[in-house]
Amino acid sequence: MNNRTPTIDGVVPEERHLAHVWNACVGAGRANEALRADWQQHFAEAVEKLGMRSVRFHGLFHDDMFVYRARGGSGFGPDGELSAPTYTFSYVDKVFDFILEQGARPFVELGFMPRDLATETETVFWWGAHASPPNDMSRWVELVTVTIEHWIDRYGLDEVANWRFEVWNEPNLVPHFWTGTKTQYFELYEATARAIKAIHSSLLVGGPSTSVFVPDARYDGETEDREAQFTTAAAEDVDALDWRPVWIEEFLAWCAERNLPVDFVTTHVYPTDYAFGVSGDAKLISRYADATLDDLTLLERLVAESAYPKAEIHITEWSTTPSSRDSIHDTVFAATYITRAYLQCTDLAQSISYWTFTDVFEEGGAGIGPFHGGFGIVNEQGIHKPTFHAFLALARLGDRLLLSTAEGVITRDSATSAISAVFFNYPADMGRASVGSRDSYPETRELRQRGPARRIRHSVEGLEPGAVFLIEILDPDHGDVAEAWYRLGSPQNLTPAQTAHLREVADGLERSSLTVSPEGVLEIDLDLQPWAVASVVPL
């Protein structure tokens, strides 16, 4: 093993830590989907190949998990009311057992409300989530307490103390994810956080899980003010507006006034917004390519200046857009975009959770067709999208950063001293623009015309002579499975032969090798097409 730091381009680099924020956590749709065999197959692969360390999903307390039981639910017989609520964890245990067996952990989103505790029902999603305040706060506190105590009994306090307990999901989005007011959410957080710490002080709790950054006062009051969005919808240059996180400052101040615990801060960051205009129509706004970097830089500063400067920051949802019918998600363009953004933001959060790892995702019902713009990095059949290969390239990086440029990074593994690298070509023709959003795959294809190509050259000295490195390149000619599906005529229902063909295309990256010279020099010289992502790893 060679523990000496190599020379890069004639300079001995100053090493620093590289946090793998891309695989600290990943998103999924809802708890009940995790009972499916295909969901479990996709997650097992994400852990094994991509190094995903935790997973977050909605619907832990939804009726289809049968945790909170106020009625017997006997089916053909009388559905009698129980004398007191009871709690059953058989479904939840199957899900959590599986996650832990893979070597990962749950990032626990506490929600949504069981029907018998909800003040309003079926507020959001095809599956009718009850996203409302509880009709009895003491019953909610009991539900949370009994659930966490069950996990401690089952898995041990040492394990559960490593989990994160996030209170709710996007409560600023009224009436969908919350039907109450801002203060009612803060009160829910207070009751929940105090209950969790009463179980054991080592348990970690946080919030407010809001979405997204906005440039206006729409969320300043107790509920959303659509009129405050009119100027945003009409703005000629949205990137010139002052984008800020939702509720973060108010939440931290409110908690500080009441001496509440905030072990971590969560919010959702998408480089997009939907602003309502005077006409009442929602306008999709796509922000600039560096929006995530700038948003997280601001968020880090706000937390540091708050009463909770040591609170972790977890971005519990992030993607190119918050639409599960955005065809950009299926493309190589998304892969390049997320590679660039992740490498920009490694120092700004403890996790940036990609939404989601699989297209087994039913917020709006199952997707129509194999490439319908779902969030997943694999589709419903488990076919790898280009974003899968972006995560694979990032996962292969070491934990020590040797070189960082606008085109990629070179790293070293502190345990093995192995050198690895990721480079990309986010086309110069894009300027400051992000990849945006598209309603259909054909609409994405205009991005294939962007350019130019980019040459990447680096000389790494001080390596073992004769060592061989694998070069894998994803680009519009290699691994672009959505384009291959389009060229098949965009079949809605794949035959077994078509599925096999698309699997082969999806994993058909351009592969070559480089050998370290007898003098211990690795000469990296790559010509990258527009939108390419290249991985350099030792064989």
Side-chain angles (χ1 to χ4, degrees):
M1 180 186 300
N2 181 4
N3 291 314
R4 183 168 64 88
T5 300
T7 298
I8 300 177
D9 301 332
V11 177
V12 178
E14 294 184 7
E15 290 190 28
R16 61 185 178 90
H17 180 65
L18 178 65
H20 284 212
V21 294
W22 44 81
N23 57 14
C25 186
V26 71
R30 79 182 195 275
N32 188 266
E33 292 162 358
L35 296 169
R36 289 175 47 163
D38 48 2
W39 189 103
Q40 295 189 3
Q41 291 166 359
H42 300 170
F43 184 68
E45 181 182 51
V47 173
E48 178 185 2
K49 294 188 176 180
L50 308 181
M52 296 300 180
R53 287 168 278 162
S54 61
V55 60
R56 171 188 178 270
F57 40 72
H58 306 318
L60 175 70
F61 294 139
H62 188 61
D63 299 327
D64 60 5
M65 296 302 287
F66 301 101
V67 174
Y68 184 88
R69 306 296 293 275
R71 308 185 68 83
S74 58
F76 290 109
D79 183 16
E81 185 173 351
L82 301 176
S83 59
T86 189
Y87 305 92
T88 60
F89 295 104
S90 59
Y91 280 23
V92 170
D93 287 347
K94 291 176 184 178
V95 172
F96 279 50
D97 287 356
F98 174 78
I99 292 169
L100 292 165
E101 286 165 3
Q102 305 316 302
R105 290 187 166 115
F107 193 116
V108 182
E109 175 197 307
L110 294 169
F112 293 111
M113 203 61 64
R115 175 180 292 272
D116 289 320
L117 277 182
T119 53
E120 295 186 48
T121 61
E122 298 180 4
T123 62
V124 70
F125 298 148
W126 162 83
W127 43 278
H130 317 309
S132 76
N135 55 37
D136 184 334
M137 186 68 80
S138 65
R139 288 292 191 191
W140 166 260
V141 166
E142 181 181 276
L143 169 62
V144 170
T145 301
V146 171
T147 301
I148 295 177
E149 287 178 340
H150 168 77
W151 287 327
I152 292 173
D153 289 342
R154 189 174 184 87
Y155 306 116
L157 178 61
D158 289 346
E159 170 60 36
V160 179
N162 286 298
W163 301 2
R164 304 294 184 274
F165 294 98
E166 181 184 36
V167 182
W168 215 254
N169 175 76
E170 299 185 343
N172 59 302
L173 297 184
V174 175
H176 303 298
F177 289 106
W178 186 245
T179 64
T181 64
K182 179 193 300 184
T183 298
Q184 283 180 298
Y185 169 74
F186 289 175
E187 291 169 345
L188 182 84
Y189 180 85
E190 177 177 10
T192 307
R194 291 195 189 282
I196 290 172
K197 290 297 185 178
I199 299 169
H200 200 278
S201 61
S202 67
L203 300 178
L204 302 175
V205 62
S209 190
T210 46
S211 181
V212 286
F213 280 52
V214 297
D216 50 51
R218 73 185 75 167
Y219 297 121
D220 286 2
E222 286 293 311
T223 56
E224 181 181 0
D225 177 8
R226 288 199 171 181
E227 289 188 8
Q229 305 176 35
F230 292 171
T231 56
T232 301
E236 292 186 7
D237 182 7
V238 295
D239 293 334
L241 302 176
D242 182 22
W243 295 80
R244 299 185 69 82
V246 173
W247 291 8
I248 298 297
E249 293 162 277
E250 303 98 308
F251 170 74
L252 293 174
W254 198 89
C255 291
E257 289 173 3
R258 290 155 180 80
N259 197 29
L260 298 178
V262 181
D263 296 307
F264 58 90
V265 174
T266 63
T267 192
H268 301 164
V269 179
Y270 293 96
T272 54
D273 182 35
Y274 290 90
F276 285 90
V278 176
S279 65
D281 295 329
K283 177 183 178 182
L284 173 63
I285 295 172
S286 292
R287 299 173 61 199
Y288 57 106
D290 292 340
T292 297
L293 170 64
D294 290 346
D295 288 350
L296 294 189
T297 300
L298 172 59
L299 178 62
E300 182 187 46
R301 178 175 64 80
L302 294 176
V303 173
E305 294 173 353
S306 76
Y308 301 91
K310 296 183 179 180
E312 298 176 346
I313 295 174
H314 292 279
I315 307 305
T316 48
E317 289 187 25
W318 178 75
S319 185
T320 52
T321 69
S323 168
S324 61
R325 298 294 185 270
D326 180 359
S327 290
I328 286 291
H329 292 144
D330 297 333
T331 67
V332 68
F333 319 123
T336 315
Y337 179 88
I338 68 171
T339 301
R340 179 180 183 272
Y342 270 127
L343 291 176
Q344 287 181 323
C345 299
T346 58
D347 297 331
L348 299 175
Q350 277 64 54
S351 69
I352 304 176
S353 179
Y354 192 73
W355 193 253
T356 60
F357 75 87
T358 177
D359 275 357
V360 177
F361 181 91
E362 297 176 344
E363 288 185 357
I368 299 175
F371 295 97
H372 57 267
F375 287 118
I377 59 177
V378 300
N379 78 346
E380 292 175 5
Q381 290 81 18
I383 298 172
H384 298 154
K385 298 184 188 180
T387 47
F388 178 93
H389 294 290
F391 275 99
L392 183 59
L394 291 168
R396 290 168 168 170
L397 291 174
D399 60 332
R400 304 297 296 170
L401 184 63
L402 304 181
L403 178 72
S404 178
T405 74
E407 302 161 343
V409 298
I410 299 176
T411 70
R412 183 176 72 87
D413 187 292
S414 61
T416 66
S417 292
I419 300 298
S420 55
V422 168
F423 304 105
F424 57 85
N425 181 0
Y426 191 79
D429 284 359
M430 294 294 290
R432 298 180 70 239
S434 72
V435 291
S437 177
R438 304 293 190 281
D439 291 333
S440 69
Y441 180 76
E443 294 176 65
T444 72
R445 300 185 77 244
E446 60 90 10
L447 291 172
R448 298 175 70 87
Q449 309 307 313
R450 304 298 177 94
R454 177 173 294 159
R455 188 176 185 185
I456 305 292
R457 298 188 70 182
H458 293 289
S459 180
V460 185
E461 302 179 31
L463 303 184
E464 181 182 350
V468 180
F469 284 76
L470 171 68
I471 313 296
E472 286 192 339
I473 299 177
L474 167 77
D475 61 31
D477 291 332
H478 303 89
D480 193 353
V481 66
E483 176 69 12
W485 169 73
Y486 173 77
R487 293 179 181 179
L488 286 176
S490 306
Q492 184 168 306
N493 299 292
L494 298 177
T495 66
Q498 289 171 330
T499 301
H501 168 69
L502 292 175
R503 287 190 195 282
E504 183 177 359
V505 171
D507 294 330
L509 306 192
E510 180 182 357
R511 294 179 173 88
S512 60
S513 63
L514 289 176
T515 302
V516 177
S517 73
E519 295 75 31
V521 180
L522 177 68
E523 295 289 353
I524 299 173
D525 190 352
L526 305 174
D527 285 314
L528 298 184
Q529 287 190 47
W531 305 110
V533 177
S535 172
V536 181
V537 292
L539 275 174

